[in-house]
C-alpha cells in the first residue's frame, strides 16, 4: 500500500537516514572551549575558510580555522550556530543562566546618583571617545592567541565587586556592573593581562577616572578603570605583565580599586571567567 507517495516500508529506513545525516552535521560542529554561559567567551576550530554565524551574526574565522564569540550579561538561553563550508554544521547552543547579586538602597540623596546637568555634555563626549576606541578592527591573530592561552590578573588583591551585580537606588535600577573589582592600596601596579595595543589612555574621565583600553585583536578588549596613574599612551603595544597604570579611586569610585572589564564586540563579557583563581596573599 502506498500513502502520500511513500511506502510504509521505506519510512523507517528514511528516518534512520535523516537522523544519521543530522547526527553527522552535529558531529562537524566545533567543540568549544570557554564558558557557555551568560558573560562567557568561547572559542573552537572549524575548517579553514568556513563561514560561521551565531544567531545570524557572522563571526570571525582566523586563517587556521579558529572562531570565537562572547555572550552578554542577559544573553538568551539558546543561540543558533551555523557553519557553512567544507564541513557544514548546525547546532543550538545552550547558554547557562546566572544568578546576579542585586542590592537595594533607599534614602540616597538624588544628587549622588544623578550626574549634574553641567556634566552631561562631558559625559556624552567621553562616551563617544570610549566607543570609538573599541570600534576598530585590529586583525592580529598573534594578540588574540595570548587571550586564548589564558589571562593573568592585572592586579592582585581581594575581589570586591563581581560581574553582573546591580544596585537599585531609591527604587530605580542603575546600570549593572560589567567588570570585576580588585581592591588594593592607591599606587598598586596594574599590568596587562594579555598582549594588546592601547587604543584609549585617559587620566580623568567623569565616571571611570584614569582609564585604559587594551585591544587584544578582533574586537576583544580589556578596560581598566579608576586608576590613579596611566603609564601608557595610545598606540603602545604591550605584552602580558607590562605596566598599564596604578590602582586609584578616580572618577566615581568610593575607594581605591581596579575595575577590570572586557568586551567582545558590543557584548560585555566576564573577565573572571578567563582568569585563573586569584592568588592568595
Amino acid at each position: 500500500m502506498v500513502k502520500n507517495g511513500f511506502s510504509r516500508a521505506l519510512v523507517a529506513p528514511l528516518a534512520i537516514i535523516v537522523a544519521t545525516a543530522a547526527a553527522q552535521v552535529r558531529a562537524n560542529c566545533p567543540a568549544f572551549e570557554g564558558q557557555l554561559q551568560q558573560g562567557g567567551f568561547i572559542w573552537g576550530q572549524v575548517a579553514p575558510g568556513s563561514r560561521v554565524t551565531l544567531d545570524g551574526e557572522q563571526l570571525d574565522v582566523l586563517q587556521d580555522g579558529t572562531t570565537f564569540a562572547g555572550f552578554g550579561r542577559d544573553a538568551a538561553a539558546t543561540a543558533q550556530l551555523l557553519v557553512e563550508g567544507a564541513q557544514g554544521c548546525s547546532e543550538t547552543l545552550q547558554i547557562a543562566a546566572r544568578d546576579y547579586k542585586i542590592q537595594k538602597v533607599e534614602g540616597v540623596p538624588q544628587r549622588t546618583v544623578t550626574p549634574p546637568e553641567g556634566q552631561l555634555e562631558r559625559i556624552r563626549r567621553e562616551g563617544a571617545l570610549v566607543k570609538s576606541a573599541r570600534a576598530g578592527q585590529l586583525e592580529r591573530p598573534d594578540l588574540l592567541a595570548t587571550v586564548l592561552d589564558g589571562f593573568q590578573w592585572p592586579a592582585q588583591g581581594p575581589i570586591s565587586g563581581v560581574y553582573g551585580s546591580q544596585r537599585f537606588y531609591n527604587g530605580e535600577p542603575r546600570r549593572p556592573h560589567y567588570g570585576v573589582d580588585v581592591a588594593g592600596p592607591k599606587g598598586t601596579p596594574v599590568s596587562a593581562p594579555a598582549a594588546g595595543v592601547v587604543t584609549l589612555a585617559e587620566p580623568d574621565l567623569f565616571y571611570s577616572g584614569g582609564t585604559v583600553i587594551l585591544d587584544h585583536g578582533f574586537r576583544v578588549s580589556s578596560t581598566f578603570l579608576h586608576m590613579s596613574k596611566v603609564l601608557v599612551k595610545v598606540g603602545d603595544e604591550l605584552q602580558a605583565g607590562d605596566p598599564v597604570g596604578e590602582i586609584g579611586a578616580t572618577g566615581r569610585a568610593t575607594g581605591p580599586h581596579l575595575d577590570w572589564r572586557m568586551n567582545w564586540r558590543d557584548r560585555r563579557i566576564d573577565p573572571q571567567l578567563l582568569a585563573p583563581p586569584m592568588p592568595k596573599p
Side-chain angles (χ1 to χ4, degrees), residues 39-41 68-72 130-131 133-135 144 147 151 163 175 178-179 213-225 260-271 274:
F41 184 73
F68 45 91
F71 304 97
V130 169
K131 184 177 180 179
R134 291 199 184 107
L144 187 66
V147 173
F151 280 103
Y163 174 92
R175 294 184 68 188
Y178 289 112
I213 295 179
L214 188 63
D215 191 334
H216 302 296
F218 296 94
R219 298 183 67 188
V220 178
S221 64
S222 286
T223 306
F224 313 97
L225 284 62
W260 174 28
R261 303 188 177 197
M262 283 194 67
N263 275 57
W264 171 74
R265 300 185 179 181
D266 63 349
R267 301 347 177 254
R268 297 179 182 270
I269 59 178
D270 186 353
L274 290 167

Side-chain angles (χ1 to χ4, degrees), residues 210-271:
T211 304
V212 168
I213 295 179
L214 188 63
D215 191 334
H216 302 296
F218 296 94
R219 298 183 67 188
V220 178
S221 64
S222 286
T223 306
F224 313 97
L225 284 62
H226 305 303
M227 292 187 293
S228 59
K229 287 185 180 179
V230 170
L231 302 177
V232 294
K233 63 183 183 301
V234 172
D236 284 352
E237 184 163 333
L238 308 182
Q239 300 300 316
D242 286 348
V244 171
E246 296 178 1
I247 281 181
T250 56
R252 303 198 96 184
T254 56
H257 71 285
L258 173 70
D259 184 349
W260 174 28
R261 303 188 177 197
M262 283 194 67
N263 275 57
W264 171 74
R265 300 185 179 181
D266 63 349
R267 301 347 177 254
R268 297 179 182 270
I269 59 178
D270 186 353

Side-chain angles (χ1 to χ4, degrees), residues 57-103:
E57 179 179 6
Q58 186 168 350
L59 305 185
D60 291 297
V61 178
L62 306 189
Q63 196 168 21
D64 66 355
T66 300
T67 190
F68 45 91
F71 304 97
R73 176 187 185 271
D74 301 309
T78 62
Q80 191 62 41
L81 177 74
L82 179 63
V83 180
E84 300 171 278
Q87 295 178 324
C89 156
S90 178
E91 183 180 17
T92 301
L93 302 181
Q94 304 297 319
I95 314 303
R98 294 171 64 174
D99 291 324
Y100 298 115
K101 181 180 179 181
I102 304 298
Q103 184 179 18

Side-chain angles (χ1 to χ4, degrees), residues 46 52 64 74 76 124 197 235:
V46 296
V52 183
D64 66 355
D74 301 309
R124 284 191 288 268
V197 175

